[in-house]
Amino acid sequence: MLQHMISLLFLFLPFSLANPKSTPTLPFTVAAFQSPFPPTASNSVTGLRVSASDGFFWAGRTTAVPKTGCGKLRGSKCPAGDETVLWVDREGKAFLGSADPQQIYIDTRTGALSYLTPVSTPPNEFSPGANVVNFLHLGHGTNLTSVIPGADPHIFVNPGPGRRAFLPSPVMISMPCGHDVTSADMEIGTFNWLGSDNSYWFLCPQNGNSTKYQIMKEVTVNDPTQSGCLSGIALVAIDYSGASPAAGVYL
């Protein structure tokens, strides 16, 4: 009888107590933003979507489909796995939106934004020097849209009062509450790591290939493997409202 009562008690415990794993909250996808805006060059990386693959994060000019698998979710329960979804908990830890959330970290040896994966060597282990805290998801309600006819399609909008958007200035946006605000009145969502001197990221071309960039927080000056890196990159956090989990496992 006592064992039965204890079992019932655990059914009604908050998720965070019954299960020590963090609970997904305010999930988002990520896209790059490069100043100036609107883009003045045809090779601007603004609007490139970020995907997870091989334990790292990439921004590509082709379709940004992550490398995923079903993991423990088989058959009809296996998610499509075509979105790279992240979330940050109250302790400043970041995760991928997989069935068993995979933790994101900064490899302080290389500066790379990384994540745990079962196909790494060794599997599901942090690299030496991994920093797993100090992540920050600022601003919510951000979407990716084109509100100006003929404008570049990569425009990030946060339709909320007192927030800022990456838009050409001056721009007037019609608000649901019946009044207009300018782009200077809006704040878009971003994904940051507070362990460095600023909130910007680097995009480093893979093997000199400008169609695929690796997301880096720090780069080494005069390192030939990191030549051609783009600096001053913001990572825009775009609200995600799709299926959860977004993937069985990110590989």
Side-chain angles (χ1 to χ4, degrees):
M1 179 62 137
L2 178 59
Q3 184 177 3
H4 179 68
M5 292 178 65
I6 293 175
S7 298
L8 286 176
L9 175 62
F10 270 90
L11 286 177
F12 292 98
L13 281 175
F15 179 78
S16 59
L17 294 180
N19 189 329
K21 296 177 181 177
S22 298
T23 305
T25 179
L26 298 172
F28 58 93
T29 60
V30 180
F33 170 80
Q34 182 182 28
S35 184
F37 191 87
T40 56
S42 60
N43 61 348
S44 170
V45 298
T46 293
L48 295 187
R49 303 303 292 266
V50 173
S51 62
S53 177
D54 300 314
F56 302 106
F57 292 85
W58 312 86
R61 299 188 183 280
T62 56
T63 304
V65 177
K67 184 181 291 187
T68 62
C70 292
K72 298 178 182 179
L73 303 178
R74 300 298 181 184
S76 61
K77 294 183 178 180
C78 183
D82 55 1
E83 291 266 22
T84 298
V85 178
L86 298 78
W87 50 277
V88 178
D89 70 9
R90 293 183 178 180
E91 296 179 352
K93 298 176 182 177
F95 300 85
L96 281 166
S98 47
D100 188 6
Q102 294 163 255
Q103 195 158 0
I104 297 170
Y105 64 97
I106 296 290
D107 187 338
T108 56
R109 301 172 308 163
T110 64
L113 181 64
S114 312
Y115 65 93
L116 293 180
T117 171
V119 297
S120 61
T121 305
N124 293 317
E125 287 190 18
F126 292 112
S127 66
N131 191 308
V132 301
V133 294
N134 296 321
F135 288 99
L136 188 65
H137 176 198
L138 288 175
H140 310 301
T142 301
N143 55 59
L144 177 61
T145 185
S146 180
V147 296
I148 305 172
D152 186 280
H154 305 310
I155 296 177
F156 306 99
V157 179
N158 192 326
R163 298 171 180 175
R164 182 165 301 185
F166 288 128
L167 292 171
S169 181
V171 173
M172 298 299 292
I173 302 172
S174 180
M175 303 296 289
C177 52
H179 65 274
D180 292 337
V181 298
T182 66
S183 58
D185 297 321
M186 305 179 72
E187 185 70 47
I188 69 116
T190 55
F191 175 57
N192 298 314
W193 184 66
L194 302 181
S196 63
D197 294 336
N198 55 62
S199 61
Y200 294 110
W201 301 78
F202 292 89
L203 262 60
C204 295
Q206 184 185 35
N207 300 321
N209 186 350
S210 62
T211 63
K212 185 176 182 180
Y213 298 90
Q214 185 174 3
I215 309 298
M216 308 285 289
K217 189 58 187 177
E218 303 283 354
V219 297
T220 303
V221 178
N222 297 326
D223 185 341
T225 65
Q226 296 179 343
S227 61
C229 294
L230 305 177
S231 61
I233 305 296
L235 294 183
V236 178
I238 304 168
D239 285 12
Y240 174 78
S241 58
S244 180
V249 60
Y250 289 90
L251 302 175

